């Protein structure tokens, strides 16, 4: 009998690191909006970013998909450094889904078309395949019956769920949410958070800027607290909320909880 030796490729260190920021810096004029940011997001991880207004949370999100350039430091997505521009950037950017506070749907396209467009234009999917996938995703976020309407005919919560479906249609490796419920009427916040909760349970890698502390407690693997352009503190939610270490975090929590 021959012995079969199974040699597995060694897993390179950090192979499960999906989004890596190393020593990232950015200014807006004199304002040092991102200061020495080091952040690694593992595949499947849900990271909630919180912090006072103006602390750099949105800029951080926008830097991760190069809606903002940075002056120094490295950002990579799934092992590939983010280039400054060009085709490779467009491809890598498509791996990063983004959902903004304002819903940003195409007003003159139907809900269904909104979810089909990127697939056809960027992923070069056939129309039929894009439609099937779009309908499936609209169903997944609970708005299948709205497919033929225009965004303005939907409630804010429905529009935001369409925005999530549209981002998911690109099969992103990571989803960024920048205060996705801040512009919603209170009664619509939960329907959006529930979709995000389900996405987290399904194993999506997520970076979520939010003031919804209930979501942070229940869905996050890690809370990142920012102030003045720096990551001041990182911890698992329980630890962060019950025992924040920094004065900045204590002060922030005392104001919002
Ligand atoms: P947050 O999302 O935490 O509220 P932002 O990342 O939006 O913070 O902004 C951080 C700081 O950078 C704020 O002081 C903001 O006014 C400033 N800022 C954001 N975008 C720009 C810009 N395009 N030009 C100049 N200043 C900006
Ligand atoms: Mg912001």
């Amino acid at each position: 009998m021959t012995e079969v030796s199974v040699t597995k490729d060694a897993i390179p260190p950090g192979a499960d690191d999906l989004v890596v920021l190393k020593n990232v810096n950015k200014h807006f004029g004199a304002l040092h909006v991102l200061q020495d940011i080091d952040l690694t997001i593992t595949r499947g991880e849900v990271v909630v970013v919180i912090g006072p207004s103006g602390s750099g949370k949105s800029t951080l999100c926008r830097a991760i998909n190069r809606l903002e350039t940075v002056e120094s430091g490295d950002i990579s997505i799934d092992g590939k450094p983010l280039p400054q521009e060009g085709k490779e950037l467009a491809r890598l950017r498509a791996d990063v889904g983004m959902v903004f506070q304002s819903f940003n749907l195409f007003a003159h396209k139907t809900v269904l078309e909104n979810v089909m467009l990127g697939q056809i234009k960027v992923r070069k999917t056939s129309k039929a395949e894009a439609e099937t996938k779009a309908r499936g995703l609209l169903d997944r976020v609970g708005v299948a019956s709205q497919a033929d309407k225009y965004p303005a005919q939907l409630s804010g919560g429905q529009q935001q769920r369409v925005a999530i479906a549209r981002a998911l249609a690109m099969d992103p490796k990571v989803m960024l949410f920048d205060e996705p419920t801040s512009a919603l009427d209170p009664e619509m916040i939960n329907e959006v958070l529930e979709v995000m909760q389900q996405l987290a349970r399904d194993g999506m890698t997520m970076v979520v800027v939010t003031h919804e502390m209930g979501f942070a407690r229940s869905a996050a693997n890690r809370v990142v607290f920012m102030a003045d352009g720096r990551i001041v503190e990182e911890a698992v939610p329980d630890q962060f909320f019950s025992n924040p270490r920094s004065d900045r975090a204590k002060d922030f929590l005392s104001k919002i909880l």
Side-chain angles (χ1 to χ4, degrees):
M1 210 158 80
T2 21
E3 263 200 41
V4 181
S5 86
V6 181
T7 53
K8 280 190 187 159
D9 287 334
I11 296 171
D16 251 7
D17 294 350
L18 189 56
V19 179
V20 180
L21 291 91
K22 279 192 188 139
N23 204 23
V24 168
N25 282 278
K26 181 176 181 68
H27 289 78
F28 284 122
L31 180 70
H32 199 168
V33 62
L34 295 178
Q35 302 193 37
D36 304 326
I37 298 288
D38 284 309
L39 180 65
T40 297
I41 294 150
T42 307
R43 211 177 298 276
E45 193 179 21
V46 178
V47 173
V48 164
V49 180
I50 65 173
S53 176
S55 55
K57 307 179 299 293
S58 292
T59 306
L60 176 73
C61 284
R62 294 167 60 81
I64 292 176
N65 69 354
R66 264 285 186 273
L67 289 173
E68 296 283 359
T69 55
V70 298
E71 288 138 22
S72 66
D74 300 307
I75 302 175
S76 62
I77 310 287
D78 208 5
K80 298 192 190 75
L82 262 187
Q84 291 289 347
E85 56 190 6
K87 270 207 171 130
E88 181 65 8
L89 174 61
R91 225 177 43 73
L92 276 184
R93 194 182 267 156
D95 286 339
V96 182
M98 181 126 186
V99 176
F100 302 88
Q101 180 174 334
S102 52
F103 320 125
N104 290 105
L105 295 173
F106 304 117
H108 303 293
K109 304 275 180 198
T110 66
V111 163
L112 183 67
E113 286 164 349
N114 264 276
V115 185
M116 288 173 63
L117 259 178
Q119 299 183 66
I120 294 167
K121 295 219 153 137
V122 181
R123 295 293 195 211
K124 311 293 180 203
T125 310
S126 75
K127 217 174 158 193
E129 208 178 312
E131 177 170 345
T132 305
K133 184 167 184 175
R135 289 196 187 277
L137 285 167
L138 289 172
D139 187 46
R140 185 168 164 198
V141 301
V143 291
S145 60
Q146 313 296 315
D148 297 323
K149 292 190 182 164
Y150 286 87
Q153 296 173 283
L154 271 57
S155 73
Q158 288 172 326
Q159 287 185 56
Q160 198 59 311
R161 285 182 283 147
V162 174
I164 294 172
R166 185 177 62 173
L168 290 175
M170 305 298 286
D171 294 321
K173 291 179 177 168
V174 53
M175 286 280 287
L176 309 179
F177 293 87
D178 189 2
E179 300 201 29
T181 61
S182 296
L184 296 177
D185 292 335
E187 73 272 20
M188 290 168 192
I189 290 175
N190 276 339
E191 65 192 47
V192 173
L193 292 179
E194 274 163 24
V195 167
M196 292 167 62
Q197 288 271 12
Q198 188 57 51
L199 208 50
R201 280 195 291 268
D202 292 345
M204 177 58 76
T205 309
M206 295 163 63
V207 178
V208 184
V209 179
T210 186
H211 299 294
E212 294 294 332
M213 296 302 131
F215 176 85
R217 277 179 186 276
S218 61
N221 300 108
R222 181 158 50 124
V223 173
V224 167
F225 175 72
M226 285 185 78
D228 298 331
R230 291 183 183 280
I231 293 178
V232 174
E233 192 164 338
E234 295 183 57
V236 295
D238 259 3
Q239 190 189 329
F240 179 78
F241 290 113
S242 59
N243 194 16
R245 296 185 303 270
S246 63
D247 288 341
R248 291 301 302 264
K250 283 178 198 165
D251 180 55
F252 177 76
L253 289 173
S254 74
K255 283 175 183 149
I256 60 157
L257 292 180

